Amino acid sequence: MAMNGILLGSEYQCGRNNVIRRTPADPHRAPPNPTHQIQCAAGYEQSDHNVCQDIDECATGTHNCRADQVCVNLRGSFSCQCPPGYQKRGDQCVDIDECTLPPYCHHRCVNTPGSYYCQCNAGFQLASNNHTCVDINECDANNPCAQQCYNILGSFICQCNPGFELSSDRINCEDTDECRTSSYICQYQCVNEPGKFSCVCPEGYQVVGSRTCQDINECETTNECREDEICWNYHGGFRCYPRNPCQEPYVLTSENRCVCPVSNTICRELPYSVVYKYMSIRSDRTVPSDIFQIQATTIYPNTINTFRIKSGNENGEFYLRQTSAVSAMLVLVKSLSGPREHIVDLEMLTVNSLNYRTSSVLRLTIIVGPYAF
C-alpha cells in the first residue's frame, strides 16, 4: 500500500493528519531542513519544533470578544463568555439579579453588578453562611447601658437601679429626685441623694421609721437643769423650772402647790393657793380643741364653784367651759404658732351659803412647740 509521505533520514512526516512521529535521529545523518514548512489546521500554528500547536487567541489578542466578555481559549479556537454574575442576552452580557434566585437572603438582598450581598436589620449580623441573620447580644458585645442591660430579639432595653430613671436617650440613668415627687414624703425635710433620699428632722427631734420625726425627751437623756430645778420636756426642746415656784407670801406645801397662810393679813386679798402646771402643745394645732381640764381637789357641801380665766388671755386664744359643778375645760379657740410660751391663770371661786368666799389659782404654763409635729 502506497503512503503519501516523504522519508527524511529517520523522521517520517504525515502531512494528511498533521501528526508528527519521530524516531531517534542518527547522529551520522545530516539534520533535517529547518526551513521546511508544514500545513497546520485553523487555530494552530507551526512551532519551532515543526509541530502544530494551538494558538491562544485570548493571549495574542486575536479574538473578537466584546469588552464586557471574557475570552476563553479552546483547542484550535476560543469562546466569548460572560463573567460570573452575568448572562448572555444576544451579543451582550447582562447582570444576573441574584436577589430573585435562591438561596434567598434572610432579611435584605442587595444586587450589585455581577454579584450580590445580604444585609441584616439593625440588631442582627450575618452568620457564617452570609445569608442568615442572627441576633446581636448588645449586652454581651458592648454593653451600651449605664446600669442594667436586657437583650431582646434584634435590640436591647436599658433599665435603671432603684432610685434612678432612664434619661431621654434611653441609655443613661438619671437620679430620681424623690424629694420633688411629693411634699409629704418626709415629715420635716427631704434630702435627695444619688439613687435614694433621706429624711432629716430639726433639732430636738429624731427620725423614726425613716420618715417621721419624733420629739427627743431631753429630760430623760441629757439636760442642763440644776438640782433646784425640774426639767420639763416639750415638743422640740425642754425647759428648766424652779422646784419651788412659790413667791412671797406663798410657801411650798407640796410639789408645785403654794399656799398663802391665813395668819398673814396680806393673804386675805389673795387666792388661797396657787398650783403650777406645765403642758406642751404642737404648733398650729387645729381649733377649737380641748387642751386642759381643771378640777376642784376638795369638795365642800353647800358651796358653789365658778371658773374663769384670770389672766393670760388678752388676745382671746382661750375659752374656759365649765363642765360640772367642780370642773372646767380650757379650750384653744385660736391657733398658736411656736415656739412661744403662754402663762394662763385659771381661777376657781368658791362661795358657801354663808357668803364666805375663797379662790384657788392654777397657773398653767403652755409651751407651744416650733413645729406641727
Side-chain angles (χ1 to χ4, degrees):
M1 181 177 180
M3 295 183 64
N4 184 16
I6 301 174
L7 181 63
L8 297 176
S10 59
E11 183 178 272
Y12 178 81
Q13 178 177 1
C14 178
R16 181 179 180 180
N17 296 321
N18 294 322
V19 176
I20 296 178
R21 300 181 184 275
R22 292 179 178 175
T23 59
D26 187 348
H28 301 288
R29 288 180 177 273
N33 185 5
T35 60
H36 179 74
Q37 298 291 325
I38 60 175
Q39 186 69 30
C40 295
Y44 292 86
E45 63 182 356
Q46 181 181 352
S47 69
D48 294 338
H49 300 286
N50 290 333
V51 294
C52 291
Q53 64 180 12
D54 175 58
I55 300 174
D56 189 348
E57 296 85 356
C58 298
T60 60
T62 57
H63 63 85
N64 60 353
C65 295
R66 296 166 56 93
D68 60 348
Q69 295 176 335
V70 176
C71 177
V72 178
N73 186 61
L74 304 175
R75 291 182 61 82
S77 184
F78 66 92
S79 173
C80 296
Q81 298 180 3
C82 293
Y86 291 85
Q87 61 184 353
K88 239 181 180 183
R89 186 174 294 171
D91 293 334
Q92 295 182 342
C93 290
V94 295
D95 176 55
I96 299 173
D97 188 356
E98 294 87 353
C99 295
T100 62
L101 305 173
Y104 302 104
C105 293
H106 192 180
H107 285 175
R108 295 191 305 274
C109 179
V110 179
N111 186 59
T112 59
S115 186
Y116 74 101
Y117 62 90
C118 296
Q119 286 184 339
C120 295
N121 298 333
F124 295 85
Q125 62 184 0
L126 276 176
S128 57
N129 59 14
N130 289 328
H131 284 80
T132 306
C133 294
V134 294
D135 175 57
I136 300 173
N137 190 336
E138 297 85 354
C139 300
D140 289 341
N142 183 22
N143 188 352
C145 298
Q147 293 184 357
Q148 299 179 26
C149 181
Y150 294 91
N151 185 65
I152 59 176
L153 189 63
S155 186
F156 65 95
I157 55 174
C158 296
Q159 289 187 353
C160 299
N161 298 329
F164 293 87
E165 59 186 355
L166 275 177
S167 58
S168 57
D169 61 10
R170 314 303 295 173
I171 298 292
N172 294 299
C173 292
E174 298 175 349
D175 174 56
T176 301
D177 190 351
E178 296 87 353
C179 299
R180 298 182 60 184
T181 60
S182 173
S183 58
Y184 302 100
I185 195 169
C186 292
Q187 191 171 35
Y188 176 65
Q189 183 178 350
C190 178
V191 178
N192 186 59
E193 301 175 19
K196 60 179 181 178
F197 71 96
S198 61
C199 296
V200 297
C201 295
E203 185 179 1
Y205 294 84
Q206 60 186 353
V207 178
V208 176
S210 75
R211 300 189 181 191
T212 306
C213 292
Q214 183 182 71
D215 172 57
I216 298 174
N217 190 341
E218 294 87 354
C219 295
E220 294 180 353
T221 56
T222 57
N223 60 78
E224 300 175 353
C225 296
R226 302 190 306 265
E227 290 187 4
D228 61 344
E229 294 176 327
I230 60 172
C231 179
W232 180 261
N233 183 71
Y234 66 91
H235 299 290
F238 72 98
R239 293 196 179 185
C240 300
Y241 294 103
R243 291 186 181 275
N244 183 2
C246 302
Q247 300 176 2
E248 291 288 340
Y250 288 87
V251 295
L252 185 66
T253 59
S254 61
E255 184 180 359
N256 296 336
R257 188 169 187 268
C258 302
V259 174
C260 196
V262 293
S263 59
N264 191 334
T265 56
I266 302 177
C267 295
R268 294 176 183 177
E269 303 299 326
L270 297 175
Y272 171 70
S273 65
V274 178
V275 176
Y276 291 84
K277 292 290 185 180
Y278 308 95
M279 71 170 298
S280 174
I281 63 173
R282 295 178 175 87
S283 183
D284 302 318
R285 183 168 175 170
T286 57
V287 292
S289 179
D290 296 348
I291 60 173
F292 189 83
Q293 182 174 347
I294 180 174
Q295 185 170 344
T297 56
T298 304
I299 302 174
Y300 298 98
N302 301 320
T303 58
I304 298 175
N305 299 308
T306 57
F307 299 88
R308 67 169 185 160
I309 300 176
K310 186 176 182 180
S311 64
N313 193 31
E314 290 74 20
N315 295 323
E317 296 98 341
F318 307 98
Y319 167 74
L320 193 61
R321 182 181 74 249
Q322 189 159 346
T323 54
S324 70
V326 294
S327 64
M329 179 64 70
L330 183 65
V331 182
L332 179 67
V333 293
K334 289 184 179 180
S335 183
L336 300 177
S337 297
R340 61 187 295 187
E341 181 182 84
H342 287 269
I343 299 177
V344 182
D345 283 353
L346 307 177
E347 186 177 37
M348 181 181 71
L349 299 173
T350 302
V351 180
N352 62 12
S353 57
L354 300 176
N355 204 24
Y356 173 78
R357 294 172 177 266
T358 185
S359 68
S360 298
V361 171
L362 188 146
R363 182 159 294 168
L364 180 63
T365 300
I366 303 172
I367 307 170
V368 183
Y371 305 100
F373 47 83

